[in-house]
Amino acid sequence: MASSPSPSAAASTNIMLAIFEKKTNSVDLYRPLRNYVAFHYSEREAQNVEDDLQTLKQLRTDVERNSDPSLPARRDLFQTYFKALCQVETRFPISPDPDHVNTLTFVWFDAFKPKQKASQQNIHLEKASVLFNLGAVYSQIGLSYDRNTVDGRRQASHAFIAAAGSFAFLRDNASMKASIGNSTTLDLSVECAGMLEKLMLAQAQECVFENTIAKGSTPGVCAKISRQVGVYYEEALAALNVSPLSQHFDKSWIVHVQLKAALFYAEACYRYGLELHEKEEIAEEIARLRSAVSVLTEAKKNSKGAAAQILDAISKLEANINRNLERAVKENDRVYLMRVPSPSSLPPLPTFSMVKPMAMCEVLDASKEKMFASLVPDSSAKALSRYTEMVDDIIRTQAEKLQQASELTRVRLKEMELPDSILALEGNFTLPTNLKEDVEAVQISGGPAGLEGELQQLRDLRRVNQELLVQTEELLKKEAREDAQFRSQFGTRWTRPQSSTLTKNLQDRLNRFAGNLKQAAESDARIERSVREHSALMSILDAHPIESALPSLARPIMSFDQNEDAVVGSLKQSLRQLETLGAQRAGLEDMLKEMKRKDDILPKLMTSTGSYEDLFKKEVAKYNHICEEIAQNIEAQEQLLLQIQAQNDEFSAIFNLEDYKASREKSYKQIEAAIAKFREIKDNINEGLKFYVTLQDAINNVKQQSNDFVMTRNIQCREMIEDVQRQVAGLSFQDKNTGSFNSNNYPSVGNQNQRSNTQTDPPRPQAHYYQPEQPPISGYAHHPPPYGPPHHQPPPPYQIPPTSAAPYPPPQVHQQPPTNHEYGQPAYPGWRGPYYNAHAQQPASVPRPPYTIPSQYPPPHQGGYYKQQ
């Protein structure tokens, strides 16, 4: 027992008790534990836990030698060593059993009877002794503070509370296990641990009482706190006076606790008497003071060996009580004349506890320790698997309930068409998602209002193609007129072939192009007529926003009770409550998942020394509150849905919802029909634009070859004029190697070599000449154009498949052109519109468009619904 005097502001008791540590013998933990790991696991595992074994060995050595005299350091040492022992307990069975760690023996001496010792081959004695020493160190820390100051008394109170918590933890978790067997000490018994807990609480409450007096609290408050101090001391005294502790502690312990109990009972009576005097309850005051004097008188009879400070405090308190008692008796005799009750008839003094044992479960929790983490016994692994299955079943069941509740809400609201009806009433109604996306795509592509611009593009491209066609035809006609003029002038001397013979293929193509353009114009007209006829239908697509074109849900024109606003308000309020419940369900599901993610009980399984089933029940119970909240949420939703159903029925009746639904569906169908018609017209226009662009390339190609043909004929014309003039002059041409100018000397269009347009004096032609008696062979059908390398031509910009329903059928040719035919373009080969009634033709008569010259009219911008063919 240790003591430390300090003046008290009230009773000047000044003396408190602290507990000395238990002593122990040295023991080597390292070698037996390492041998166990190497034998039951592997040598590699033994090497892996080498650091942990060394740490454990050092902790035990520090406990034995008290190398650091600092009390906080000793406290931390015992806490750390106890957690390490918890890890050892679950991984290393220590007992005399041959398969266990059987070479370890722990020896500890009694703290109050140092000659008595306990020796056990199990870890329970070691853990209990460490817990006892932890409580002892806390008591020493409390006694070390300066209790002459308010802060010192507060810190001392906290230390005594921690000491009480340590002894309570020892009593509840280790005392019984350490007391099993013949070799044990009384200081670790349940009775001794309970007595020490009450003693530490009494001293903690005493510190609080001293601070209460220092703060000048009312006599009533001081009396309650003082009485609780006495109650704690009385409980400790009761344990000391009975077996097995009555013969184990020194007499001075019992005297100290007995005097303290009497002192604080008398102090409570004295303080309570002051409050009674203020209330003029003189009779009870006299009785309380007489009771206090009686208790102090009885306590002083057994005060031998007590500290002088306590006896001095008792004398001062007794003098104060006698003075107040004398005053009260005189006032009662002279003034109040009340009958004084007997002390035995008085009710117990009120108490107020300001302290309780510190919860040491968290302080000593070893579940987060990493020591020996790699060693997982098979029993713990199986237990973890079973617990995980239990938790997964809870999570799965609750998640299914939440999902079913959310799905039920969605279905019920959809059946009632909520909240769409409320939104429609407020003008915030929106189209169904798919229909709205289609409308947005139409509007992005320009909408019906943009069709006129695309029709104008058709007109412009048709005009350009017509002009190119006229220019090409005029070019060939001019050359034919000049040829006829010279033939008329020179007669039989003009022996070259007629232009009409050489340009037949070009003329045929130009005629086909002209026919295509004519039918394309008719197709364009049908498209324009379709746009005009359906402009009213498609005009709804130009509405911005599209919802402005929809019918609105209007309030009734006449109302008898004017309760529309109340009906709408209550329905909206219920929908908000339903939304809140949905958000709560989402939060509850997230809470379940997060709790499952953080739920790691393996450390607790490793440190558990009791039944796994008890631990499972405790751990699974933490999910109960979430499960209860989920059940309450679902029940509240069911009631709310019934309420919403009734409110919606009333709402539908007042606002004539059925008529609104019918008109809305009609608008939906109108919008769908407008979108379908717009897409049809848009596709037709795109086909037309692609047709004109491709045809323009073809006409440009024919025009280029016509230019080349005319240039070649002009050169031949000049040469023939020179020859004719020389014949007229009588000159001899026998030595000429140019050959006679007959029908065999002129090349067919499409087979001559390309001549440079920059030559001013070209040589006479050396090519093969046209043979009129042979069948005409199209140079544009079997050979690439002579105006560019065929192998470097880019691919055709449009690959339009042939169709038997093309609005512009290609010209009827006499023979099937090969696949690389240069000219002749089918009009709108992809056209499928109902406004075209073109003549059917065989797909084999449609040539593949190999046009490669880029056009100045690119295809128009195409929206998301109009894909490039």
Side-chain angles (χ1 to χ4, degrees):
M1 177 179 71
S3 64
S4 175
S6 78
S8 171
S12 300
T13 56
N14 299 326
I15 298 297
M16 290 187 180
L17 303 179
I19 316 300
F20 289 118
E21 294 181 22
K22 290 169 65 68
K23 301 301 180 182
T24 183
N25 289 343
S26 298
V27 63
D28 178 24
L29 296 177
Y30 173 81
R31 184 54 53 188
L33 297 186
R34 192 187 190 286
N35 291 340
Y36 179 84
V37 175
F39 182 78
H40 288 85
Y41 291 90
S42 66
E43 177 61 29
R44 183 174 182 179
E45 282 292 347
Q47 295 174 2
N48 291 339
V49 299
E50 180 72 23
D51 293 342
D52 292 339
L53 290 171
Q54 291 291 350
T55 301
L56 183 67
K57 177 182 178 181
Q58 186 61 46
L59 288 173
R60 188 50 161 84
T61 302
D62 293 341
V63 168
E64 298 166 2
R65 298 179 180 177
N66 196 7
S67 57
D68 190 346
S70 167
L71 291 176
R74 292 291 290 175
R75 174 199 63 200
D76 296 342
L77 170 64
F78 286 124
Q79 290 178 357
T80 302
Y81 184 52
F82 181 83
K83 295 177 184 178
L85 290 176
C86 292
Q87 301 291 68
V88 170
E89 181 180 13
T90 57
R91 293 166 172 83
F92 302 95
I94 301 175
S95 75
D97 192 293
D99 293 332
H100 293 176
V101 181
N102 54 18
T103 58
L104 275 178
T105 302
F106 298 101
V107 178
W108 285 89
F109 296 89
D110 194 297
F112 306 105
K113 300 280 186 183
K115 293 183 180 180
Q116 298 180 9
K117 68 178 181 179
S119 177
Q120 296 182 14
Q121 279 186 286
N122 63 62
I123 203 170
H124 303 307
L125 175 63
E126 185 83 351
K127 291 178 66 178
S129 300
V130 171
L131 285 174
F132 183 95
N133 282 358
L134 178 61
V137 169
Y138 270 122
S139 71
Q140 296 171 29
I141 291 174
L143 209 63
S144 68
Y145 289 114
D146 180 10
R147 289 184 291 111
N148 290 319
T149 64
V150 173
D151 190 59
R153 289 188 291 267
R154 180 183 59 79
Q155 292 177 324
S157 177
H158 290 167
F160 290 132
I161 288 172
S166 300
F167 289 121
F169 194 85
L170 167 64
R171 179 196 65 208
D172 297 336
N173 297 279
S175 290
M176 290 297 296
K177 297 176 182 177
S179 300
I180 297 175
N182 297 326
S183 181
T184 183
T185 54
L186 195 58
D187 57 349
L188 298 181
S189 65
V190 173
E191 294 81 2
C192 185
M195 183 276 294
L196 293 176
E197 175 195 5
K198 297 302 181 182
L199 178 62
M200 294 298 108
L201 287 176
Q203 296 187 158
Q205 182 86 359
E206 185 177 347
C207 293
V208 175
F209 170 72
E210 292 177 359
N211 273 346
T212 304
I213 296 297
K215 291 190 296 183
S217 299
T218 62
V221 172
C222 294
K224 293 177 181 179
I225 295 176
S226 174
R227 183 65 191 109
Q228 185 62 54
V229 177
V231 169
Y232 283 137
Y233 276 119
E234 290 169 5
E235 292 174 346
L237 179 63
L240 286 169
N241 284 332
V242 297
S243 179
L245 302 182
S246 58
Q247 303 300 321
H248 192 72
F249 282 85
D250 188 78
K251 184 66 176 177
S252 61
W253 271 75
I254 298 176
V255 171
H256 174 85
V257 175
Q258 181 180 353
L259 289 178
K260 282 282 186 136
L263 178 63
F264 280 95
Y265 173 79
E267 183 75 35
C269 291
Y270 171 70
R271 299 290 172 181
Y272 195 64
L274 295 177
E275 185 179 47
L276 291 172
H277 192 81
E278 293 177 359
K279 297 178 180 179
E280 297 184 353
E281 297 179 6
I282 302 301
E284 185 177 351
E285 178 188 2
I286 294 172
R288 294 291 184 185
L289 293 178
R290 286 175 179 175
S291 176
V293 171
S294 175
V295 169
L296 290 177
T297 302
E298 187 67 25
K300 287 191 294 184
K301 294 178 182 180
N302 300 313
S303 61
K304 184 179 179 180
Q309 292 92 333
I310 297 180
L311 295 176
D312 182 59
I314 290 176
S315 299
K316 291 180 180 180
L317 177 61
E318 190 174 19
N320 291 335
I321 292 174
N322 286 327
R323 183 177 64 253
N324 288 357
L325 177 60
E326 182 181 353
R327 181 192 62 186
V329 170
K330 289 180 180 180
E331 290 179 358
N332 188 50
D333 292 342
R334 296 175 181 176
V335 179
Y336 298 103
L337 301 175
M338 294 181 180
R339 186 177 66 84
V340 179
S342 63
S344 60
S345 65
L346 296 175
L349 288 172
T351 62
F352 185 67
S353 178
M354 299 290 289
V355 297
K356 64 179 181 178
M358 178 186 291
M360 302 300 292
C361 294
E362 294 184 3
V363 177
L364 301 176
D365 181 17
S367 61
K368 297 181 181 179
E369 297 298 313
K370 303 300 182 182
M371 183 176 286
F372 305 116
S374 61
L375 300 179
V376 180
D378 185 61
S379 60
S380 297
K382 292 180 179 178
L384 177 62
S385 177
R386 188 165 72 255
Y387 175 77
T388 302
E389 292 177 359
M390 295 170 61
V391 173
D392 288 343
D393 184 64
I394 293 174
I395 300 296
R396 181 170 54 254
T397 301
Q398 298 304 317
E400 289 176 355
K401 290 182 179 179
L402 292 172
Q403 293 173 0
Q404 290 172 0
S406 298
E407 181 64 17
L408 175 64
T409 300
R410 187 189 67 80
V411 172
R412 294 285 297 278
L413 290 180
K414 185 175 181 181
E415 291 174 351
M416 293 184 284
E417 297 197 11
L418 290 173
D420 294 347
S421 301
I422 299 294
L423 294 175
L425 182 63
E426 298 174 347
N428 297 325
F429 182 73
T430 58
L431 286 174
T433 302
N434 294 338
L435 192 58
K436 186 173 181 63
E437 290 176 353
D438 290 347
V439 172
E440 289 176 350
V442 169
Q443 293 178 344
I444 290 173
S445 67
L451 293 178
E452 181 58 36
E454 297 186 13
L455 289 174
Q456 186 59 44
Q457 286 187 8
L458 284 179
R459 300 186 194 104
D460 293 342
L461 286 173
R462 186 173 69 248
R463 176 182 52 80
V464 169
N465 277 273
Q466 189 68 44
E467 292 175 353
L468 285 174
L469 189 63
V470 170
Q471 293 171 5
T472 306
E473 291 176 342
E474 184 60 32
L475 188 66
L476 294 178
K477 288 180 181 179
K478 180 180 179 182
E479 193 280 329
R481 287 196 300 269
E482 291 176 352
D483 180 70
Q485 180 180 354
F486 285 116
R487 192 175 304 279
S488 173
Q489 179 179 352
F490 294 108
T492 58
R493 297 187 186 90
W494 195 258
T495 58
R496 72 171 182 174
Q498 293 184 4
S499 295
S500 58
T501 303
L502 300 177
T503 60
K504 184 178 186 305
N505 286 337
L506 293 177
Q507 289 291 351
D508 289 343
R509 286 169 177 76
L510 292 176
N511 291 336
R512 287 198 298 272
F513 293 161
N516 288 342
L517 279 175
K518 180 180 179 182
Q519 190 166 1
E522 297 174 356
S523 298
D524 294 346
R526 283 192 288 271
I527 293 176
E528 293 183 10
R529 185 168 59 255
S530 179
V531 171
R532 289 194 303 271
E533 291 174 351
H534 298 93
S535 60
L537 171 65
M538 295 187 295
S539 62
I540 193 172
L541 300 179
D542 284 325
H544 291 277
I546 187 62
E547 287 78 10
S548 62
L550 297 176
S552 59
L553 181 60
R555 294 177 176 272
I557 300 176
M558 296 182 61
S559 177
F560 296 101
D561 49 11
Q562 300 294 326
N563 67 338
E564 296 90 349
D565 293 338
V567 171
V568 174
S570 61
L571 182 56
K572 290 169 65 176
Q573 177 65 25
S574 297
L575 290 174
R576 284 193 292 268
Q577 293 175 3
L578 191 64
E579 185 177 359
T580 301
L581 290 176
Q584 290 176 356
R585 284 197 301 276
L588 290 172
E589 187 171 4
D590 292 340
M591 288 175 60
L592 277 174
K593 294 177 180 178
E594 182 65 15
M595 185 177 291
K596 171 65 169 59
R597 186 182 66 82
K598 294 181 178 180
D599 191 7
D600 180 15
I601 70 162
L602 180 59
K604 295 181 181 179
L605 289 172
M606 299 297 295
T607 57
S608 175
T609 57
S611 169
Y612 284 147
E613 296 301 325
D614 294 339
L615 178 62
F616 291 165
K617 291 179 181 178
K618 179 182 177 182
E619 292 297 319
V620 168
K622 61 176 173 272
Y623 292 92
N624 290 345
H625 73 282
I626 299 183
C627 296
E628 292 174 359
E629 291 183 25
I630 290 174
Q632 293 172 1
N633 181 284
I634 294 175
E635 176 63 25
Q637 176 183 279
E638 291 177 355
Q639 298 299 324
L640 190 57
L641 284 174
L642 294 175
Q643 176 180 323
I644 291 175
Q645 180 67 60
Q647 293 171 342
N648 188 63
D649 291 343
E650 185 177 5
F651 174 82
S652 300
I654 292 176
F655 289 90
N656 198 8
L657 204 56
E658 293 301 323
D659 289 348
Y660 164 73
K661 293 178 182 178
S663 60
R664 185 187 62 191
E665 291 300 323
K666 181 179 179 182
S667 297
Y668 287 171
K669 294 185 181 300
Q670 180 182 354
I671 293 174
E672 291 172 353
I675 292 173
K677 181 55 64 178
F678 175 84
R679 289 177 175 175
E680 175 187 308
I681 294 175
K682 184 76 172 179
D683 291 343
N684 292 342
I685 292 176
N686 288 339
E687 289 294 331
L689 292 173
K690 288 187 289 185
F691 166 77
Y692 282 125
V693 169
T694 308
L695 183 61
Q696 181 179 341
D697 293 340
I699 297 176
N700 276 325
N701 204 333
V702 173
K703 181 180 180 182
Q704 179 62 43
Q705 294 198 13
S706 297
N707 282 327
D708 293 343
F709 169 75
V710 171
M711 181 189 68
T712 303
R713 293 281 284 182
N714 288 338
I715 293 172
Q716 294 174 352
C717 179
R718 287 196 299 271
E719 292 176 350
M720 179 165 282
I721 290 174
E722 292 175 0
D723 289 343
V724 170
Q725 289 176 347
R726 280 193 289 270
Q727 288 179 8
V728 171
L731 299 177
S732 175
F733 300 101
Q734 296 301 322
D735 58 340
K736 301 294 183 178
N737 294 324
T738 57
S740 62
F741 292 94
N742 53 33
S743 60
N744 295 329
N745 296 95
Y746 293 94
S748 173
V749 178
N751 286 337
Q752 73 265 17
N753 292 326
Q754 182 179 7
R755 297 177 180 271
S756 173
N757 293 330
T758 60
Q759 288 180 315
T760 58
D761 189 16
R764 296 183 180 180
Q766 300 291 330
H768 300 286
Y769 291 101
Y770 182 79
Q771 299 177 2
E773 67 275 4
Q774 296 179 358
I777 300 175
S778 174
Y780 306 106
H782 296 279
H783 301 283
Y787 312 110
H791 298 291
H792 297 283
Q793 289 184 343
Y798 304 102
Q799 293 292 342
I800 304 176
T803 176
S804 61
Y808 310 133
Q812 302 297 320
V813 295
H814 298 287
Q815 60 181 9
Q816 171 64 38
T819 58
N820 64 343
H821 198 288
E822 301 281 345
Y823 310 109
Q825 171 61 27
Y828 292 21
W831 172 254
R832 296 291 186 276
Y835 302 102
Y836 288 85
N837 298 315
H839 298 288
Q841 67 176 50
Q842 297 299 323
S845 64
V846 180
R848 175 174 173 268
Y851 313 115
T852 59
I853 302 176
S855 171
Q856 58 178 330
Y857 295 93
H861 173 71
Q862 313 221 346
Y865 289 98
Y866 312 107
K867 297 181 180 179
Q868 187 72 36
Q869 297 295 324

